[in-house]
Amino acid sequence: MQKIGVFVCHCGTNISATVDVAKVAETLAKEPGVIYSTDYQFMCSLAGQNLIIDKIKELDLTGVVICSCSPRMHELTFRKAADKAGLNGFLLEMANIREQDAWVHKDREEATLKAVALGRAAIAKVALNEALIPGESKVTKRALVIGAGIAGMQAALDIADAGFSVDLVDIEPTIGGLMTQVDKTFPTLDCASCILTPKMVDVQQHELINLMTFCEVEKVEGYIGNFIATIKKKARYVDPDACTGCGLCTQKCPTKNVLNSFNLNLDNRSAIYIPFPQAVPLVAIIDAAHCKKLQEGKCGVCAAVCAPKAIHYDDCDKLVENKYGAIVVATGFNPIEVHAFNEFAYDQSPNVITSLEYERLMSATGPNGGTVLRPSDKKHPKTIVFQQCVGSRDTTSRGKTYCSGICCMYTAKHAMLTREKYPDTDVYVFYTDIRTPGKGFDEFHRRAVEQYGVHYIKGSIGKVVPMSNGNLKVQASDLLMQRQLHIEADLVVLAAAMEPDKSAKHLAQQLTASMDNDGWFTESHPKLRPVESPTAGVFLAGACQGPKDIPSTVAQAGAAASKAIILLIKDKLKGNPCVAHSAENMCNGCGACANVCPYSAITYVEKEFRMPDRTTLIRRVASVNPAVCQGCGACTVACPSGAMDIFGFSNKQIMGEVDAICQ
Amino acid sequence: MNKSELLKEQVQRNSGVNVLKCMRCGKCSATCPNYDVMEYHPHQFVNMVENNQVELLMKSESLYMCLTCFACVERCPRGVEPGKLVEAIRLEAVRIKENNHLKPDQIVKKLTDKMPQQAIVTAFRKYTK
Ligand SMILES: Cc1cc2nc3c(=O)[nH]c(=O)nc-3n(C[C@H](O)[C@H](O)[C@H](O)COP(=O)(O)OP(=O)(O)OC[C@H]3O[C@@H](n4cnc5c(N)ncnc54)[C@H](O)[C@@H]3O)c2cc1C
Ligand code: SF4
Ligand code: SF4
Ligand code: SF4
Ligand code: SF4
């Protein structure tokens, strides 16, 4: 015999203002199986929980229904209370009469009727519930951090400092990310290398961090606590353990005219190269597409000069497989290509550059050793025009709808540093709005205007026309002065919008981690779970989740690391018992369920069946891995023979709810 | 709705422009090749329509200074299409009864052998109701 208790919550006035809670309790008391029904001001409070516990014990309840908020809010709270009273938590159901009723209706009478209907459905379901025991799985005590920019490095350091091993993977030959290309950093103007390179060395020297540069995560399987990743070690043609980073090979290599991507193609490098002098690991790498030996079979100079014999032309890609308990994604961002914005003549003139290219021009490790010279003729620029928001806040097919968040600040930085170093240079900044919400940020921007005399103009460049002498005719609007300006400039610098790394999409598919329409990784909750991906065990750090500056990136990386540590410190994880299972005698092995399962939890096995005539028959049937299944229910809908069901949400239980509502 | 508001509705409907999409970046006026001879500039057309000032625009010579080159339409990052708005207001101005900017009896005097027929048709379309 069912002995169900019903508890209706007021939620202060959140529910009781719209729903007649006393009446709901009174009406539900008459439902079959219900032996106790009451209402209370705050069911989730300690007193409320004690009320539930007392009644379970006192009346020996077989099921409990709480009519209150969304189960996302308090299901766990109430299940724990039931467990405490000795009733399996899965014999408790919640009817959401707040979000799905009180908050969305105005009419008290109708809302009360709806609360009763929702309560009835929960009662009908709980009568069919079974006690469920969550399974347990072990946690692999090792983390995978993907992307070794400042975010990935910080996360790896924090996790390793907590005592767990970390594999830190980067797709590039060196760690460091975008910050390696930045000259000085706002808002304090300390040099990026000075704060970054010591951290890069810390990462390299940490005994629990295993650096995997020039590697790509190809495939990820498994689930929280038990991920299996296949990582491709791309051919470097140089043995990183043997190479001493002496650089002799790069000097002797005869192919010197390869565009240097570290300096954004503003100068050239050799086919065998070390990305930059502070690279970690400080190891050479052969650019296979340009190496004469690898392309044409002749040359071999570098191997001949390399004393430790580190160069191997027969190197090839290798796959390694590893197990991890937690994964941190830190794949960062990049500026967009600006070719589509042809009004700026980026493709027509070398003197039209992006802001990141300007960082390289200013940097001591850049093409001119830190002297700003215009690319066309290496002349000192006397007039520089900056354009903000290029491709940001743009709803057309050329751009991105969002604000890239960092460009107001770095443009102020560029303008200020230019004026400081070259007081004879005129600097103009065209802006739509100035967005400087960080600590000390607006003061920073005002310094550019007030102390450094940068001409900030509310308006935009409309057209750039390159002249034969390399100068640029800039036509622009000055909205506050109501005039069109014509400036002859030496250099035009475009603050290009930021976008997620292009490789992140493949990674997201492997991790079943969701992304928004622009390709940024989405967090589990925009306010309350900002560093967790909706996929359990996958955490987000830095600019892969949205544009950010270094301070926010580092803060987020620390948060992601602490979440990963909370996971890794556990020995075992409780699984979700509400997983799918197939009734083998009904399953005909058609394959429909595995086709729709987004987590690849379903496989097929050959099973022996005893037939009524005592013969045996071997049939293919579906088998669900409960550790992988997330209980999404896609398979139960796809199964044509009604064999697939979910524990806790069986077809019978759901039909019971529907019948109760349609009563 | 008063007359100014009606006009605002009308020119937005005819042009397909939603003036609220403008973020005041000034790209349209930066790109406009005829800026210097115009009293009101493309971004002002957008902002003045937003503020119910279509009548002022209808009286302005700027309506006929716009080259309909559509540089502003091409470049606006928010897809506002100011040039189309200019055209819709121009249409509004020439459509006022008895206010044709081109009358058939003027044509005879202006005709030359070299003028293509198409030009006359276009002129009627553009400057008469
Ligand atoms: C021009 C410019 C100037 C800036 N100036 C400043 C400044 O002055 N002050 C400031 O605070 N911020 C500044 N920033 C912002 C700063 O660069 C970022 O905040 C910071 O780089 C974000 O770090 P991150 O680690 O999240 O991403 P990134 O630096 O982008 O690092 C991501 C890393 O992940 C790797 N990666 C990508 N995809 C994969 C993959 N699939 N597998 C493995 N590895 C992968 C990349 O190779 C890279 O190493 C500037 C940005 C720009 C563009
Ligand atoms: S590959 Fe050999 S020559 Fe080149 S940097 Fe390394 S040790 Fe020196
Ligand atoms: S941060 Fe500034 S420059 Fe960058 S998109 Fe936003 S408003 Fe434009
Ligand atoms: S270009 Fe577009 S968004 Fe910018 S001011 Fe002109 S109409 Fe407004
Ligand atoms: S269409 Fe008219 S307003 Fe727009 S840019 Fe051309 S001339 Fe200027």
Side-chain angles (χ1 to χ4, degrees):
Chain A
M1 224 266 293
Q2 290 286 341
K3 287 189 271 181
I4 299 169
V6 176
F7 300 83
V8 185
C9 183
H10 299 207
C11 194
T13 53
N14 269 305
I15 296 173
S16 62
T18 327
V19 172
D20 183 344
V21 281
K23 189 161 172 207
V24 174
E26 202 179 295
T27 317
L28 293 179
K30 295 176 201 136
E31 284 297 300
V34 176
I35 60 161
Y36 177 80
S37 182
T38 189
D39 60 278
Y40 186 73
Q41 205 176 9
F42 287 109
M43 283 315 307
C44 61
S45 67
L46 189 64
Q49 291 187 48
N50 284 339
L51 176 67
I52 302 172
I53 295 174
D54 291 348
K55 288 297 161 193
I56 293 177
K57 287 186 182 158
E58 182 191 323
L59 302 171
D60 198 14
L61 297 178
T62 59
V64 170
V65 168
I66 318 275
C67 301
S68 58
C69 50
S70 157
R72 288 191 71 154
M73 192 79 201
H74 277 313
E75 191 172 61
L76 206 61
T77 318
F78 293 132
R79 277 191 179 155
K80 275 190 188 153
D83 277 327
K84 234 184 191 169
L87 181 76
N88 182 289
F90 289 89
L91 296 173
L92 177 143
E93 282 296 326
M94 288 178 75
N96 182 357
I97 61 166
R98 192 178 77 174
E99 284 86 341
Q100 291 179 359
D101 189 5
W103 281 358
V104 288
H105 295 292
K106 287 205 174 74
D107 187 283
R108 192 169 165 85
E109 211 164 304
E110 285 192 343
T112 305
L113 273 177
K114 182 167 174 183
V116 168
L118 291 170
R120 270 197 192 119
I123 293 166
K125 180 165 184 239
V126 88
L128 297 167
N129 278 16
E130 291 166 33
L132 298 173
I133 314 273
E136 280 186 340
S137 58
K138 273 194 159 177
V139 177
T140 309
K141 307 236 165 216
R142 188 184 190 84
L144 172 64
V145 177
I146 308 170
I150 185 66
M153 286 172 21
Q154 184 63 49
L157 281 170
D158 288 350
I159 297 172
D161 279 345
F164 298 102
S165 301
V166 181
D167 282 355
L168 177 57
V169 175
D170 204 291
I171 205 163
E172 295 291 329
T174 170
I175 61 170
L178 232 151
M179 241 183 112
T180 57
Q181 289 167 301
V182 171
D183 177 34
K184 294 197 170 64
T185 55
F186 66 75
T188 43
L189 293 183
D190 33 7
C191 116
S193 296
C194 311
I195 54 177
L196 183 73
T197 39
K199 254 202 165 65
M200 289 163 69
V201 174
D202 287 351
V203 166
Q204 188 179 34
Q205 290 177 348
H206 204 296
E207 53 186 12
L208 289 179
I209 298 179
N210 171 35
L211 264 189
M212 300 179 76
T213 51
F214 210 48
C215 287
E216 234 175 307
V217 176
E218 287 249 307
K219 197 165 91 180
V220 182
E221 290 168 312
Y223 48 94
I224 179 168
N226 289 283
F227 294 105
I228 304 165
T230 310
I231 300 167
K232 180 161 87 186
K233 292 183 149 183
K234 298 187 279 179
R236 196 173 185 128
Y237 306 100
V238 176
D239 176 357
D241 297 324
C243 171
T244 61
C246 70
L248 193 61
C249 53
T250 66
Q251 291 160 24
K252 299 290 181 203
C253 173
T255 313
K256 292 255 187 292
N257 56 353
V258 185
L259 287 175
N260 181 0
S261 56
F262 179 70
N263 278 338
L264 299 156
N265 303 346
L266 291 168
D267 63 357
N268 293 333
R269 59 158 165 76
S270 43
I272 186 165
Y273 67 103
I274 296 175
F276 55 99
Q278 296 79 24
V280 168
L282 191 64
V283 169
I285 175 168
I286 296 183
D287 178 344
H290 295 98
C291 167
K292 282 203 175 110
K293 175 78 182 172
L294 292 172
Q295 291 299 325
E296 298 157 25
K298 18 183 209 276
C299 183
V301 169
C302 49
V305 300
C306 176
K309 301 264 169 283
I311 296 167
H312 305 289
Y313 300 114
D314 58 354
D315 193 11
C316 55
D317 296 353
K318 292 181 196 81
L319 292 180
V320 290
E321 204 182 87
N322 266 322
K323 282 190 166 178
Y324 304 98
I327 297 180
V328 177
V329 181
T331 48
F333 60 179
N334 298 299
I336 60 165
E337 298 276 358
V338 292
H339 309 292
F341 300 85
N342 51 8
E343 62 269 35
F344 298 121
Y346 179 80
D347 288 340
Q348 277 75 53
S349 169
N351 295 337
V352 180
I353 60 174
T354 65
S355 297
L356 195 57
E357 289 166 33
Y358 196 67
E359 292 279 355
R360 295 317 301 144
L361 284 189
M362 288 195 301
S363 168
T365 59
N368 313 318
T371 312
V372 176
L373 301 174
R374 66 179 202 182
S376 70
D377 50 13
K378 307 270 177 215
K379 254 175 51 188
H380 166 55
K382 293 279 182 213
T383 305
I384 305 183
V385 180
F386 290 87
Q387 172 70 54
Q388 296 198 165
C389 296
V390 175
S392 294
R393 312 172 62 191
D394 184 322
T395 52
T396 71
S397 59
R398 300 198 295 179
K400 308 285 177 187
T401 55
Y402 48 83
C403 162
S404 291
I406 55 170
C407 11
C408 278
M409 278 301 282
Y410 71 56
T411 301
K413 172 184 77 174
H414 294 162
M416 199 186 288
L417 290 173
T418 307
R419 288 282 296 164
E420 181 167 80
K421 214 163 166 185
Y422 310 105
D424 62 331
T425 298
D426 257 338
V427 175
Y428 297 85
V429 176
F430 286 93
Y431 68 93
T432 304
D433 298 289
I434 298 291
R435 296 181 167 173
T436 49
K439 193 154 84 178
F441 282 16
D442 204 59
E443 293 85 336
F444 182 86
H445 156 245
R446 290 309 305 169
R447 256 199 299 158
V449 179
E450 293 170 29
Q451 278 177 33
Y452 288 89
V454 176
H455 308 299
Y456 267 85
I457 298 169
K458 163 82 185 152
S460 169
I461 297 181
K463 195 160 70 172
V464 176
V465 181
M467 296 156 68
S468 55
N469 62 0
N471 291 3
L472 303 160
K473 270 192 186 164
V474 176
Q475 175 180 311
S477 62
D478 178 342
L479 294 187
L480 297 181
M481 291 298 291
Q482 288 285 17
R483 63 180 172 185
Q484 209 172 49
L485 293 174
H486 297 273
I487 303 168
E488 196 167 322
D490 295 291
L491 211 54
V492 167
V493 184
L494 308 176
M498 301 305 291
E499 64 179 359
D501 195 276
K502 295 229 160 51
S503 69
K505 200 166 222 144
H506 168 74
L507 191 62
Q509 283 163 356
Q510 290 305 313
L511 294 166
T512 62
S514 48
M515 282 183 150
D516 65 16
N517 289 339
D518 295 306
W520 305 107
F521 281 94
T522 28
E523 54 282 15
S524 194
H525 187 288
K527 280 159 261 174
L528 301 180
R529 303 185 67 193
V531 299
E532 290 109 312
S533 137
T535 303
V538 176
F539 307 98
L540 309 173
C544 65
Q545 178 259 350
K548 26 182 102 52
D549 56 17
I550 299 163
S552 325
T553 298
V554 174
Q556 201 188 20
S562 74
K563 294 285 174 189
I565 294 165
I566 292 170
L567 166 59
L568 293 173
I569 215 156
K570 292 182 177 144
D571 291 324
K572 280 180 178 165
L573 289 176
K574 273 215 168 99
N576 168 21
C578 298
V579 291
H581 63 107
S582 79
E584 285 170 350
N585 49 357
M586 283 161 81
C587 170
N588 62 21
C590 69
C593 50
N595 273 341
V596 297
C597 176
Y599 304 97
S600 311
I602 303 173
T603 50
Y604 295 91
V605 292
E606 304 276 321
K607 273 231 160 162
E608 264 184 35
F609 288 87
R610 195 57 85 103
M611 303 307 281
D613 59 1
R614 293 174 177 272
T615 57
T616 49
L617 179 73
I618 297 180
R619 279 204 297 120
R620 193 176 96 114
V621 292
S623 160
V624 179
N625 180 346
V628 181
C629 171
Q630 300 289 315
C632 73
C635 54
T636 61
V637 184
C639 177
S641 29
M644 200 53 100
D645 232 342
I646 294 203
F647 286 120
F649 294 91
S650 67
N651 292 329
K652 218 171 122 195
Q653 284 171 301
I654 288 164
M655 287 319 289
E657 287 186 285
V658 174
D659 284 345
I661 286 178
C662 300
Q663 218 177 58
Chain B
M1 230 188 256
N2 62 30
K3 191 175 165 226
S4 309
E5 286 164 358
L6 265 174
L7 270 171
K8 171 180 171 178
E9 278 289 311
Q10 175 103 345
V11 297
Q12 286 202 86
R13 188 160 1 101
N14 288 351
S15 60
V17 168
N18 172 3
V19 291
L20 294 178
K21 290 203 297 191
C22 171
M23 67 165 176
R24 284 112 170 104
C25 68
K27 185 115 178 190
C28 48
S29 292
T31 202
C32 179
N34 232 15
Y35 185 99
D36 287 336
V37 298
M38 286 167 83
E39 177 190 8
Y40 298 121
H41 308 110
H43 77 279
Q44 286 173 290
F45 271 85
V46 177
N47 299 164
M48 286 170 75
V49 170
E50 186 184 337
N51 289 294
N52 297 320
Q53 296 182 344
V54 182
E55 282 137 312
L56 262 179
L57 292 168
M58 282 166 65
K59 286 189 215 120
S60 169
E61 280 278 306
S62 302
L63 279 185
Y64 312 100
M65 298 297 155
C66 165
L67 305 172
T68 324
C69 71
F70 277 19
C72 53
V73 174
E74 191 70 19
R75 304 267 154 83
C76 168
R78 310 293 298 182
V80 176
E81 309 191 314
K84 290 194 181 166
L85 198 59
V86 178
E87 194 164 71
I89 298 168
R90 183 163 52 219
L91 212 65
E92 210 59 49
V94 300
R95 270 187 179 166
I96 295 173
K97 218 169 163 53
E98 306 305 332
N99 192 28
N100 287 347
H101 288 247
L102 191 69
K103 299 199 174 82
D105 45 3
Q106 297 172 326
I107 292 286
V108 187
K109 278 179 271 164
K110 292 186 176 174
L111 278 182
T112 70
D113 288 348
K114 286 192 196 113
M115 187 182 290
Q117 241 177 10
Q118 186 62 30
I120 304 170
V121 179
T122 309
F124 269 107
R125 205 190 60 215
K126 238 175 151 175
Y127 298 125
T128 65
K129 57 176 171 137

